[in-house]
Amino acid sequence: MDSEILRDTSPSEAGAMPALTQVPTSVTLSAEQFEKLYLSPMMHRQPAMAKNLGNPTPLGIGAFVLTATPLACCLMAWRGAGGGGAAFSGVSILFGGLLLVLSSILEFVLGNTFSSVVFGHLGAFCLAFGATMTPAFNSAAAYSPDGTNTLAGLHSPGFVNTFAFFFLFMALLMLIYCICATRTNLVYVLIFASLIFVFSLLAAAYWKLGAEDEVMGNRLTVGGGAALFVATMLGFYLLTAQLLDSVGFPFSLPIGDLSGLWDRRRKQDDSDV
């Protein structure tokens, strides 16, 4: 543990002042603690900058859950919500997208490749999704009969059949993340497993809606919203576990550590730490 010694003061100068103490300025984390807080495997040793800078991981997790949870409620049509999430265009861009991309940059500065890539891709998805729903980008209006109506374009067969491919390959990306997350913890794995279902069901829903099968399309959309709701609840749990550890709470929430599952260089890493 690095520490900083307070200014030395002799008894004659300080009178009855208490004895000098050392104030800790940075803490070296174990591999398990690092992977829990940063959601990224510690390949060799804790990065030097991580000892002095704050942890941006809870910022990214919080941006994800606070953007995705209302969207999940919308997809499940709670309280009459609907519109495919068009009401959250500003939230997706200015809240989720902005904070996730910022978290990705900060993770990159700290050298956490996996977290940086995950937050970067999810942030870009939020930006792209919000931009698609924004009339100024004219992405959906081109599919409407008159070429100017964004709302009509969002529900046209041409648009939903095309946009479904984006969901499909996002599901493939989540599968890759799910495999990589088995080096971190169980909660993280379950989040990505849920997101695989989210994007797969949404892709199927869009294709069904494009085929004018609204009943099955709406059911698949509700299923995608339910899977997204599960992912966000797991995200809230993971966020709580990280924040409790960050403030030194007297107890911590279990997250199912999997850091030793693929123990490629663990013995060497622990000796380096």
Short mmCIF file of all heavy atoms in Angstrom, two decimals, residues 133-172:
data_model
loop_
_atom_site.label_atom_id
_atom_site.label_comp_id
_atom_site.label_asym_id
_atom_site.label_seq_id
_atom_site.Cartn_x
_atom_site.Cartn_y
_atom_site.Cartn_z
N MET A 133 -34.24 6.93 -34.37
CA MET A 133 -35.57 7.38 -33.98
C MET A 133 -35.75 8.89 -34.11
O MET A 133 -36.85 9.40 -33.90
CB MET A 133 -35.86 6.96 -32.53
CG MET A 133 -35.79 5.47 -32.29
SD MET A 133 -37.07 4.58 -33.20
CE MET A 133 -36.60 2.88 -32.86
N THR A 134 -34.68 9.61 -34.42
CA THR A 134 -34.74 11.07 -34.52
C THR A 134 -35.08 11.50 -35.94
O THR A 134 -34.36 11.13 -36.88
CB THR A 134 -33.39 11.70 -34.10
OG1 THR A 134 -33.06 11.26 -32.77
CG2 THR A 134 -33.46 13.22 -34.14
N PRO A 135 -36.14 12.25 -36.15
CA PRO A 135 -36.52 12.64 -37.52
C PRO A 135 -35.44 13.38 -38.29
O PRO A 135 -35.35 13.28 -39.52
CB PRO A 135 -37.76 13.53 -37.29
CG PRO A 135 -38.31 13.08 -35.99
CD PRO A 135 -37.12 12.70 -35.15
N ALA A 136 -34.60 14.14 -37.57
CA ALA A 136 -33.58 14.93 -38.26
C ALA A 136 -32.60 14.07 -39.04
O ALA A 136 -32.01 14.53 -40.04
CB ALA A 136 -32.83 15.80 -37.25
N PHE A 137 -32.40 12.83 -38.63
CA PHE A 137 -31.47 11.95 -39.34
C PHE A 137 -32.12 11.31 -40.57
O PHE A 137 -31.40 10.75 -41.41
CB PHE A 137 -30.96 10.86 -38.40
CG PHE A 137 -29.93 11.34 -37.42
CD1 PHE A 137 -30.31 11.86 -36.19
CD2 PHE A 137 -28.59 11.28 -37.73
CE1 PHE A 137 -29.37 12.30 -35.28
CE2 PHE A 137 -27.63 11.73 -36.83
CZ PHE A 137 -28.02 12.24 -35.60
N ASN A 138 -33.43 11.36 -40.66
CA ASN A 138 -34.16 10.89 -41.84
C ASN A 138 -33.84 9.44 -42.21
O ASN A 138 -33.84 9.06 -43.37
CB ASN A 138 -33.85 11.79 -43.05
CG ASN A 138 -34.94 11.70 -44.11
OD1 ASN A 138 -36.12 11.58 -43.78
ND2 ASN A 138 -34.55 11.76 -45.38
N SER A 139 -33.53 8.62 -41.20
CA SER A 139 -33.19 7.23 -41.49
C SER A 139 -34.41 6.37 -41.74
O SER A 139 -34.37 5.45 -42.56
CB SER A 139 -32.39 6.64 -40.31
OG SER A 139 -33.14 6.74 -39.11
N ALA A 140 -35.50 6.65 -41.04
CA ALA A 140 -36.72 5.85 -41.21
C ALA A 140 -37.71 6.50 -42.17
O ALA A 140 -38.52 5.80 -42.79
CB ALA A 140 -37.40 5.62 -39.86
N ALA A 141 -37.65 7.81 -42.29
CA ALA A 141 -38.62 8.52 -43.14
C ALA A 141 -38.53 8.07 -44.59
O ALA A 141 -39.52 8.07 -45.32
CB ALA A 141 -38.40 10.02 -43.03
N ALA A 142 -37.34 7.67 -45.02
CA ALA A 142 -37.18 7.25 -46.41
C ALA A 142 -38.01 6.02 -46.75
O ALA A 142 -38.29 5.76 -47.93
CB ALA A 142 -35.71 6.97 -46.69
N TYR A 143 -38.41 5.25 -45.73
CA TYR A 143 -39.20 4.04 -45.96
C TYR A 143 -40.70 4.32 -45.95
O TYR A 143 -41.50 3.40 -46.17
CB TYR A 143 -38.87 2.99 -44.90
CG TYR A 143 -37.48 2.42 -45.02
CD1 TYR A 143 -36.42 3.00 -44.33
CD2 TYR A 143 -37.22 1.31 -45.81
CE1 TYR A 143 -35.13 2.47 -44.44
CE2 TYR A 143 -35.95 0.78 -45.92
CZ TYR A 143 -34.91 1.37 -45.23
OH TYR A 143 -33.64 0.85 -45.34
N SER A 144 -41.11 5.55 -45.64
CA SER A 144 -42.53 5.89 -45.61
C SER A 144 -43.04 6.13 -47.03
O SER A 144 -42.26 6.37 -47.95
CB SER A 144 -42.74 7.14 -44.76
OG SER A 144 -42.10 8.26 -45.34
N PRO A 145 -44.35 6.07 -47.23
CA PRO A 145 -44.89 6.26 -48.59
C PRO A 145 -44.52 7.59 -49.22
O PRO A 145 -44.24 7.66 -50.42
CB PRO A 145 -46.41 6.14 -48.36
CG PRO A 145 -46.54 5.29 -47.14
CD PRO A 145 -45.38 5.67 -46.27
N ASP A 146 -44.52 8.68 -48.42
CA ASP A 146 -44.19 9.99 -49.00
C ASP A 146 -42.73 10.37 -48.82
O ASP A 146 -42.29 11.43 -49.29
CB ASP A 146 -45.08 11.07 -48.38
CG ASP A 146 -44.92 11.17 -46.86
OD1 ASP A 146 -44.13 10.40 -46.29
OD2 ASP A 146 -45.60 12.02 -46.25
N GLY A 147 -41.94 9.53 -48.11
CA GLY A 147 -40.51 9.78 -47.96
C GLY A 147 -40.15 10.81 -46.92
O GLY A 147 -38.97 11.19 -46.81
N THR A 148 -41.13 11.28 -46.14
CA THR A 148 -40.86 12.33 -45.15
C THR A 148 -41.40 11.99 -43.76
O THR A 148 -41.05 12.67 -42.79
CB THR A 148 -41.47 13.67 -45.59
OG1 THR A 148 -42.89 13.51 -45.77
CG2 THR A 148 -40.84 14.14 -46.91
N ASN A 149 -42.25 10.98 -43.64
CA ASN A 149 -42.93 10.66 -42.38
C ASN A 149 -42.10 9.64 -41.61
O ASN A 149 -42.07 8.45 -41.96
CB ASN A 149 -44.33 10.12 -42.67
CG ASN A 149 -45.17 10.02 -41.40
OD1 ASN A 149 -44.65 9.86 -40.30
ND2 ASN A 149 -46.48 10.13 -41.56
N THR A 150 -41.42 10.09 -40.54
CA THR A 150 -40.57 9.20 -39.77
C THR A 150 -41.39 8.12 -39.06
O THR A 150 -41.00 6.95 -39.04
CB THR A 150 -39.77 9.99 -38.72
OG1 THR A 150 -38.94 10.95 -39.39
CG2 THR A 150 -38.89 9.07 -37.88
N LEU A 151 -42.53 8.50 -38.47
CA LEU A 151 -43.35 7.54 -37.75
C LEU A 151 -43.85 6.43 -38.67
O LEU A 151 -43.81 5.24 -38.31
CB LEU A 151 -44.53 8.24 -37.08
CG LEU A 151 -45.45 7.37 -36.21
CD1 LEU A 151 -44.66 6.75 -35.07
CD2 LEU A 151 -46.62 8.19 -35.68
N ALA A 152 -44.30 6.79 -39.84
CA ALA A 152 -44.76 5.78 -40.79
C ALA A 152 -43.60 4.91 -41.26
O ALA A 152 -43.76 3.70 -41.47
CB ALA A 152 -45.44 6.45 -41.98
N GLY A 153 -42.44 5.52 -41.41
CA GLY A 153 -41.28 4.76 -41.85
C GLY A 153 -40.82 3.74 -40.82
O GLY A 153 -40.37 2.65 -41.17
N LEU A 154 -40.94 4.07 -39.52
CA LEU A 154 -40.53 3.15 -38.46
C LEU A 154 -41.36 1.88 -38.45
O LEU A 154 -40.89 0.83 -37.97
CB LEU A 154 -40.64 3.84 -37.10
CG LEU A 154 -39.61 4.94 -36.80
CD1 LEU A 154 -39.94 5.64 -35.49
CD2 LEU A 154 -38.21 4.36 -36.75
N HIS A 155 -42.58 1.93 -38.97
CA HIS A 155 -43.46 0.77 -38.97
C HIS A 155 -43.60 0.14 -40.36
O HIS A 155 -44.41 -0.77 -40.54
CB HIS A 155 -44.85 1.16 -38.45
CG HIS A 155 -44.85 1.60 -37.02
ND1 HIS A 155 -44.60 2.91 -36.64
CD2 HIS A 155 -45.06 0.92 -35.86
CE1 HIS A 155 -44.66 3.02 -35.33
NE2 HIS A 155 -44.93 1.83 -34.82
N SER A 156 -42.83 0.59 -41.30
CA SER A 156 -42.92 0.04 -42.65
C SER A 156 -42.16 -1.27 -42.74
O SER A 156 -41.15 -1.46 -42.05
CB SER A 156 -42.36 1.04 -43.67
OG SER A 156 -40.96 1.22 -43.45
N PRO A 157 -42.61 -2.22 -43.58
CA PRO A 157 -41.91 -3.50 -43.72
C PRO A 157 -40.45 -3.35 -44.16
O PRO A 157 -39.58 -4.08 -43.70
CB PRO A 157 -42.74 -4.24 -44.77
CG PRO A 157 -44.10 -3.62 -44.68
CD PRO A 157 -43.86 -2.18 -44.35
N GLY A 158 -40.19 -2.41 -45.04
CA GLY A 158 -38.82 -2.24 -45.51
C GLY A 158 -37.87 -1.85 -44.40
O GLY A 158 -36.74 -2.36 -44.32
N PHE A 159 -38.31 -0.96 -43.51
CA PHE A 159 -37.44 -0.51 -42.42
C PHE A 159 -37.20 -1.62 -41.41
O PHE A 159 -36.06 -1.89 -41.03
CB PHE A 159 -38.04 0.71 -41.73
CG PHE A 159 -37.28 1.13 -40.51
CD1 PHE A 159 -36.12 1.88 -40.62
CD2 PHE A 159 -37.71 0.76 -39.23
CE1 PHE A 159 -35.40 2.28 -39.50
CE2 PHE A 159 -36.99 1.14 -38.11
CZ PHE A 159 -35.84 1.89 -38.24
N VAL A 160 -38.28 -2.26 -40.91
CA VAL A 160 -38.11 -3.27 -39.86
C VAL A 160 -37.35 -4.48 -40.38
O VAL A 160 -36.55 -5.09 -39.64
CB VAL A 160 -39.48 -3.68 -39.27
CG1 VAL A 160 -40.10 -2.52 -38.53
CG2 VAL A 160 -40.42 -4.20 -40.35
N ASN A 161 -37.56 -4.87 -41.63
CA ASN A 161 -36.81 -6.00 -42.19
C ASN A 161 -35.33 -5.68 -42.31
O ASN A 161 -34.48 -6.57 -42.17
CB ASN A 161 -37.37 -6.38 -43.56
CG ASN A 161 -38.67 -7.14 -43.47
OD1 ASN A 161 -38.93 -7.83 -42.49
ND2 ASN A 161 -39.51 -7.00 -44.49
N THR A 162 -35.01 -4.42 -42.54
CA THR A 162 -33.61 -4.01 -42.68
C THR A 162 -32.94 -3.84 -41.32
O THR A 162 -31.83 -4.33 -41.10
CB THR A 162 -33.52 -2.70 -43.47
OG1 THR A 162 -34.16 -2.86 -44.74
CG2 THR A 162 -32.07 -2.29 -43.68
N PHE A 163 -33.64 -3.17 -40.41
CA PHE A 163 -33.05 -2.89 -39.09
C PHE A 163 -32.87 -4.16 -38.27
O PHE A 163 -32.04 -4.20 -37.35
CB PHE A 163 -33.92 -1.89 -38.33
CG PHE A 163 -33.20 -1.17 -37.23
CD1 PHE A 163 -32.35 -0.11 -37.51
CD2 PHE A 163 -33.36 -1.53 -35.90
CE1 PHE A 163 -31.68 0.56 -36.51
CE2 PHE A 163 -32.69 -0.86 -34.89
CZ PHE A 163 -31.85 0.19 -35.20
N ALA A 164 -33.62 -5.21 -38.58
CA ALA A 164 -33.51 -6.47 -37.84
C ALA A 164 -32.11 -7.06 -37.94
O ALA A 164 -31.66 -7.75 -37.01
CB ALA A 164 -34.55 -7.47 -38.36
N PHE A 165 -31.42 -6.80 -39.04
CA PHE A 165 -30.06 -7.34 -39.18
C PHE A 165 -29.11 -6.73 -38.15
O PHE A 165 -28.16 -7.39 -37.71
CB PHE A 165 -29.54 -7.10 -40.60
CG PHE A 165 -30.14 -8.01 -41.62
CD1 PHE A 165 -31.12 -7.55 -42.48
CD2 PHE A 165 -29.74 -9.33 -41.73
CE1 PHE A 165 -31.68 -8.39 -43.44
CE2 PHE A 165 -30.29 -10.19 -42.67
CZ PHE A 165 -31.28 -9.71 -43.52
N PHE A 166 -29.35 -5.48 -37.78
CA PHE A 166 -28.53 -4.84 -36.74
C PHE A 166 -28.70 -5.57 -35.42
O PHE A 166 -27.73 -5.87 -34.71
CB PHE A 166 -28.92 -3.37 -36.62
CG PHE A 166 -28.01 -2.57 -35.73
CD1 PHE A 166 -26.67 -2.90 -35.56
CD2 PHE A 166 -28.48 -1.43 -35.07
CE1 PHE A 166 -25.83 -2.15 -34.76
CE2 PHE A 166 -27.66 -0.68 -34.26
CZ PHE A 166 -26.33 -1.04 -34.11
N PHE A 167 -29.94 -5.89 -35.06
CA PHE A 167 -30.20 -6.66 -33.84
C PHE A 167 -29.56 -8.04 -33.91
O PHE A 167 -29.02 -8.54 -32.91
CB PHE A 167 -31.71 -6.80 -33.62
CG PHE A 167 -32.40 -5.53 -33.22
CD1 PHE A 167 -33.65 -5.21 -33.73
CD2 PHE A 167 -31.82 -4.64 -32.33
CE1 PHE A 167 -34.30 -4.05 -33.36
CE2 PHE A 167 -32.44 -3.47 -31.96
CZ PHE A 167 -33.69 -3.17 -32.48
N LEU A 168 -29.64 -8.67 -35.07
CA LEU A 168 -29.11 -10.03 -35.21
C LEU A 168 -27.62 -10.07 -34.92
O LEU A 168 -27.14 -10.94 -34.16
CB LEU A 168 -29.39 -10.55 -36.62
CG LEU A 168 -28.86 -11.94 -36.95
CD1 LEU A 168 -29.52 -12.99 -36.08
CD2 LEU A 168 -29.05 -12.26 -38.42
N PHE A 169 -26.87 -9.14 -35.49
CA PHE A 169 -25.42 -9.18 -35.30
C PHE A 169 -25.00 -8.58 -33.96
O PHE A 169 -23.90 -8.86 -33.47
CB PHE A 169 -24.72 -8.50 -36.47
CG PHE A 169 -24.85 -9.28 -37.74
CD1 PHE A 169 -25.71 -8.88 -38.75
CD2 PHE A 169 -24.14 -10.47 -37.91
CE1 PHE A 169 -25.85 -9.62 -39.91
CE2 PHE A 169 -24.26 -11.22 -39.07
CZ PHE A 169 -25.12 -10.80 -40.08
N MET A 170 -25.87 -7.78 -33.34
CA MET A 170 -25.63 -7.39 -31.95
C MET A 170 -25.74 -8.62 -31.05
O MET A 170 -24.99 -8.76 -30.08
CB MET A 170 -26.63 -6.33 -31.51
CG MET A 170 -26.32 -4.93 -31.98
SD MET A 170 -24.77 -4.25 -31.33
CE MET A 170 -25.15 -4.15 -29.57
N ALA A 171 -26.66 -9.54 -31.37
CA ALA A 171 -26.78 -10.78 -30.60
C ALA A 171 -25.51 -11.61 -30.73
O ALA A 171 -25.04 -12.21 -29.75
CB ALA A 171 -27.98 -11.58 -31.09
N LEU A 172 -24.94 -11.65 -31.93
CA LEU A 172 -23.67 -12.37 -32.11
C LEU A 172 -22.56 -11.73 -31.30
O LEU A 172 -21.74 -12.44 -30.68
CB LEU A 172 -23.30 -12.37 -33.60
CG LEU A 172 -21.96 -13.02 -33.96
CD1 LEU A 172 -21.91 -14.48 -33.54
CD2 LEU A 172 -21.68 -12.88 -35.46
#
